Amino acid sequence: MEKKEERPWCMITEMDQYLFGQGTHYEIYKKLGAHLTEYEGEKGVYFAVWAPHAKGVRVVGEFNCWGSDGYRMNRLEPLGIYEVFVPGLEEGCMYKYLIETEKGDYLYKADPFAFYAEKRPGTASRVADISGFTWHDDRWMTKRAGWNAAESPMSIYEVHPGSWKRHPHEEDEDGFYNYRELAAELTEYIKKMGYTHIELMGIAEHPFDGSWGYQVTGYFAPTSRYGTPEDFQYMIDYFHKHNIGVILDWVPAHFPRDAHGLANFDGEALYEHPDSRRGEHPDWGTKIFNYEKSEVRNFLIANALFWLGEYHVDGLRVDAVASMLYLDYGKQDGQWLPNKYGGNENLDAVWFFKHLNSIIHGRGDGSMIIAEESTAWPGVTKDVDDGGLGFTFKWNMGWMNDFLEYMKLDPYFRKDNHNKMTFAMSYAYSENYILVLSHDEVVHLKCSMLNKMPGYLDDKFANLKAGYTFMFGHPGKKLLFMGNEFAQLQEWSEARELDWFLLKEDRHLHMQNYVRALLQLYKKYRCLYELDDSWDGFQWINADDSYRSIFSFVRYSKTKRKNLLFVMNFTPMERPDYRVGVPKKKKYELVLDSDAEEYGGSGRKRAKVYDAKKGSCDNQKYYVEYPLSAYGTAVFEF
């Protein structure tokens, strides 16, 4: 009997099909897609694609001049996966799947599992081998595995790589920094400022720059705008070698209708729900993933694990979670279908999140998953075993909205809106929160952070410093979008770099200095992060001084050593005779003063240490006297 030659490791087996059909093939990306291999003594590429509704599928590409006479793929049952080995093909070659539908139409589709894509405006996939990179971040990965996210400092710099900085360029060039250039330049800047993490927007391949990467066509491909997959690996490795954590934006909520993408992939709804009331976002013009289908859930879960595993990414920030949880999100009556119980909860999406987060946390490697969730859905960061969704953190959108509404007000009206700044403490420990001032708040006529502030230019800067101080003192991890740290004047646009020239002006340089001081303070003092999930770490001194619009509170460490007292004045009125209540008869050392010359203040000489005096103030037995300047902020260690 003739010996049957073994198929290469990447070829689809019956077990692969079974696991994929069950939604539990967490490394399906190693089977579907395009893989360099050797078969029957010849080197080439093995292609596999899931297209159960297709009448037939061929691989076409630059190797056959994109003709329709490509390599016919063989269908595997029962899932309708098509496969073929093409000898002679090499890394980098461009290809697509030519899908013949049951109606007789022909569709040219990019590979949903491609590791690399042609640079836009091209839409082809490229063969890529991502297994050859030598990582140098063992120390980081080992340290991360023992990381307690809740009790660790986490200050995130949110970056859109294509518009952080750009090279001077001709009209027909983008001027993008590549991944390797970004690695060096961003690392230098992040370390100078004191951020602990970077969050990267728009990494998964997408056709339209104006979507900022939130309409994805290549879920397994780092965008070719900035280089190759190996370049991207180099960047992550470089960040880790310099102790910078990496978070990627991840978009499992929806995908675009582009002809080469996932929409109607094999002539019918495959990745999206077939009923438009479940499968389309009317406001966004995009398709919604079909979370009922196990293969679709598997595609998304494997994709999340792919970024965390193959690219050593430290966390995923899940975009538009609310749109997944609610069947009626952004829809009018008649545009949505209730669940089987008559409610608006998307039960399949809930199950998807619980499954996904259980797998991610079950790995025990310290990786995070963060929800951008804008509603009061309960238990977003609660353990799945306790009935929660299982996310590591949740963006605190409620705090952000109240904070910005307050900060926009003329100081005269702030006394009537004092609760906007205090309300978040009523629910601060219901979830594990990240306080965010993200890209969404500085686009589309929302104004830059600086231009949200009231008053003349000097007032705007002083207001923003006071606001940032409140943010860094408030419980919760921190996120600032690029440009916010030096008070970018224009709204953000993906089409141009940040206005770095502003740093030649004193006001903007002073703002950058002040934010750097806040970031350094945040990392230095454990009281600002290790009890973010407990009332043991926070005490209001005066939450009710609405008439003067002054807030004061204490942040405590676990050991009650090196605690910090925050005082913030949100009016242009000086308070030379200001007294603040304090909980202990101790010495209070001034560690941050917004009135310092290096931050654009008056530079007035002040004492460095203040003795608490006995006397009732702010319901405390002791007080400290401190001359509080207009829009002044002060932080004391005790």
Side-chain angles (χ1 to χ4, degrees):
M1 183 176 179
E2 185 179 8
K3 182 181 178 181
K4 184 177 180 180
E5 187 165 352
E6 290 187 5
R7 288 149 54 100
W9 65 270
C10 56
M11 288 191 174
I12 301 292
T13 67
E14 290 183 4
M15 180 57 71
D16 291 326
Q17 291 204 72
Y18 172 77
L19 293 174
F20 186 47
Q22 295 296 306
T24 56
H25 199 317
Y26 303 128
E27 293 187 334
I28 189 63
Y29 56 83
K30 291 184 176 180
K31 299 302 182 97
L32 295 176
H35 301 279
L36 291 165
T37 189
E38 185 173 329
Y39 181 53
E40 296 182 342
E42 288 192 87
K43 293 182 178 180
V45 178
Y46 172 75
F47 297 93
V49 62
W50 177 52
H53 304 119
K55 186 176 180 180
V57 183
R58 292 176 181 266
V59 179
V60 301
E62 53 187 354
F63 45 81
N64 78 324
C65 299
W66 300 100
S68 60
D69 60 338
Y71 291 89
R72 181 177 293 279
M73 304 180 76
N74 302 313
R75 184 180 176 105
L76 302 177
E77 300 297 352
L79 294 186
I81 292 174
Y82 287 80
E83 66 167 3
V84 69
F85 173 77
V86 181
L89 297 190
E90 297 179 347
E91 186 169 13
C93 76
M94 293 192 293
Y95 69 98
K96 280 188 177 181
Y97 296 118
L98 177 58
I99 295 175
E100 181 183 2
T101 72
E102 288 291 349
K103 295 179 180 179
D105 298 323
Y106 289 88
L107 308 174
Y108 285 86
K109 291 289 187 177
D111 188 346
F113 286 85
F115 295 153
Y116 191 27
E118 181 184 10
K119 185 179 178 181
R120 59 96 176 94
T123 58
S125 301
R126 287 186 182 272
V127 174
D129 179 10
I130 63 171
S131 64
F133 184 79
T134 302
W135 292 89
H136 306 91
D137 63 348
D138 289 351
R139 183 178 177 183
W140 170 271
M141 298 297 281
T142 300
K143 176 183 172 183
R144 192 187 78 180
W147 189 53
N148 183 333
E151 296 183 6
S152 300
M154 191 169 164
S155 51
I156 304 166
Y157 190 45
E158 186 189 28
V159 171
H160 179 264
S163 58
W164 183 66
K165 283 186 179 179
R166 288 194 178 185
H167 295 296
H169 59 278
E170 302 298 330
E171 290 184 4
D172 59 342
E173 296 178 353
D174 294 309
F176 293 142
Y177 278 47
N178 64 39
Y179 289 121
R180 292 173 186 262
E181 292 172 319
L182 285 165
E185 296 248 355
L186 276 166
T187 294
E188 181 181 0
Y189 188 73
I190 286 169
K191 290 180 74 67
K192 169 189 169 183
M193 292 298 293
Y195 296 97
T196 64
H197 289 72
I198 184 171
E199 180 174 318
L200 295 168
M201 298 167 56
I203 292 300
E205 192 60 81
H206 52 285
F208 178 47
D209 289 10
S211 77
W212 312 331
Y214 294 113
Q215 295 193 12
V216 177
T217 50
Y219 274 82
F220 290 83
T223 179
S224 54
R225 288 167 174 80
Y226 318 125
T228 66
E230 183 178 291
D231 294 334
F232 183 68
Q233 289 170 315
Y234 172 91
M235 181 176 72
I236 303 299
D237 194 50
Y238 195 92
F239 286 146
H240 284 173
K241 285 190 291 183
H242 291 86
N243 295 310
I244 298 169
V246 184
I247 301 165
L248 296 189
D249 277 4
W250 187 55
V251 193
H254 63 132
F255 55 89
R257 299 170 179 266
D258 294 61
H260 70 284
L262 299 179
N264 297 309
F265 185 79
D266 55 4
E268 297 185 28
L270 182 63
Y271 288 90
E272 68 270 40
H273 199 285
D275 190 320
S276 63
R277 293 171 294 178
R278 289 272 178 91
E280 295 183 8
H281 275 300
D283 289 345
W284 299 345
T286 53
K287 299 284 189 177
I288 301 172
F289 282 104
N290 185 358
Y291 309 107
E292 296 177 20
K293 192 177 290 186
S294 56
E295 295 91 343
V296 173
R297 295 196 303 270
N298 198 151
F299 171 81
L300 292 170
I301 292 172
N303 183 242
L305 298 177
F306 168 81
W307 292 109
L308 297 172
E310 302 300 327
Y311 282 109
H312 292 203
V313 167
D314 302 296
L316 300 174
R317 197 279 292 189
V318 185
D319 182 63
V321 168
S323 75
M324 299 172 66
L325 293 175
Y326 296 97
L327 295 166
D328 59 346
Y329 185 92
K331 297 180 179 181
Q332 305 298 322
D333 290 345
Q335 293 181 328
W336 64 284
L337 287 176
N339 62 36
K340 62 184 179 181
Y341 302 112
N344 67 341
E345 302 88 356
N346 190 333
L347 304 178
D348 297 298
V350 171
W351 168 244
F352 162 74
F353 280 133
K354 290 185 175 185
H355 185 178
L356 168 70
N357 294 338
S358 295
I359 296 298
I360 288 176
H361 292 309
R363 290 155 57 96
D365 63 357
S367 52
M368 302 176 291
I369 185 156
I370 301 162
E372 187 225 356
E373 205 285 309
S374 55
T375 75
W377 187 283
V380 172
T381 59
K382 194 176 182 180
D383 288 345
V384 171
D385 291 342
D386 293 331
L389 295 182
F391 284 93
T392 317
F393 293 105
K394 172 181 173 175
W395 274 20
N396 195 336
M397 311 293 278
W399 172 87
M400 178 203 70
N401 287 321
D402 289 344
F403 172 81
L404 291 178
E405 286 302 311
Y406 181 87
M407 294 303 300
K408 292 174 187 177
L409 291 170
D410 185 294
Y412 179 82
F413 298 106
R414 286 177 175 169
K415 63 181 180 296
D416 301 318
N417 292 270
H418 198 74
N419 66 314
K420 282 185 166 38
M421 294 289 265
T422 60
F423 179 65
M425 282 309 301
S426 68
Y427 61 85
Y429 305 119
S430 61
E431 302 279 6
N432 295 325
Y433 283 117
I434 299 176
L435 306 186
V436 294
L437 293 173
S438 74
H439 68 277
D440 273 331
E441 308 317 312
V442 292
V443 293
H444 296 332
L445 303 180
K446 291 183 179 179
C447 296
S448 66
M449 283 301 300
L450 184 71
N451 282 324
K452 293 181 196 296
M453 303 297 113
Y456 295 110
L457 195 56
D458 284 338
D459 295 326
K460 290 178 182 291
F461 278 92
N463 265 290
L464 192 53
K465 288 171 194 166
Y468 284 160
T469 309
F470 185 89
M471 175 185 184
F472 274 82
H474 195 285
K477 311 308 180 187
K478 322 298 177 189
L479 179 145
L480 281 179
F481 181 56
M482 64 182 197
N484 287 351
E485 75 278 12
F486 62 82
Q488 170 92 2
L489 287 174
Q490 298 186 87
E491 288 181 333
W492 170 65
S493 169
E494 81 286 344
R496 60 174 183 264
E497 75 168 11
L498 296 180
D499 294 336
W500 294 102
F501 62 85
L502 292 173
L503 289 171
K504 296 178 181 178
E505 300 180 13
D506 286 345
R507 290 187 182 98
H508 296 275
L509 182 61
H510 292 152
M511 177 64 74
Q512 187 191 52
N513 289 341
Y514 191 71
V515 172
R516 180 165 63 245
L518 286 171
L519 287 163
Q520 301 292 349
L521 192 80
Y522 176 72
K523 285 203 301 184
K524 178 180 178 180
Y525 287 92
R526 300 179 67 88
C527 63
L528 292 179
Y529 56 79
E530 70 178 3
L531 285 172
D532 269 337
D533 57 354
S534 168
W535 274 107
D536 291 341
F538 182 89
Q539 178 189 358
W540 281 115
I541 297 298
N542 195 333
D544 301 315
D545 194 354
S546 59
Y547 180 77
R548 295 188 298 179
S549 297
I550 296 175
F551 300 86
S552 52
F553 55 77
V554 169
R555 294 298 305 275
Y556 290 106
S557 66
K558 282 186 174 181
T559 62
K560 297 298 187 287
R561 295 175 182 270
K562 290 187 176 294
N563 310 300
L564 292 178
L565 166 67
F566 282 76
V567 180
M568 290 138 294
N569 178 10
F570 283 93
T571 73
M573 298 293 294
E574 288 190 64
R575 305 292 177 181
D577 56 349
Y578 180 71
R579 291 181 176 182
V580 59
V582 291
K584 298 287 184 181
K585 193 175 188 305
K586 299 284 186 180
K587 292 184 181 295
Y588 289 76
E589 180 185 353
L590 183 64
V591 293
L592 184 65
D593 170 21
S594 65
D595 201 34
E597 190 173 359
E598 64 188 301
Y599 309 135
S602 69
R604 181 186 311 165
K605 295 295 183 183
R606 299 176 187 272
K608 286 296 181 184
V609 178
Y610 296 80
D611 290 319
K613 299 178 181 179
K614 189 171 180 60
S616 178
C617 180
D618 296 329
N619 293 316
Q620 304 295 318
K621 295 180 180 180
Y622 309 97
Y623 66 88
V624 165
E625 293 179 312
Y626 178 80
L628 192 58
S629 59
Y631 296 119
T633 65
V635 183
F636 303 88
E637 177 193 325
F638 69 98

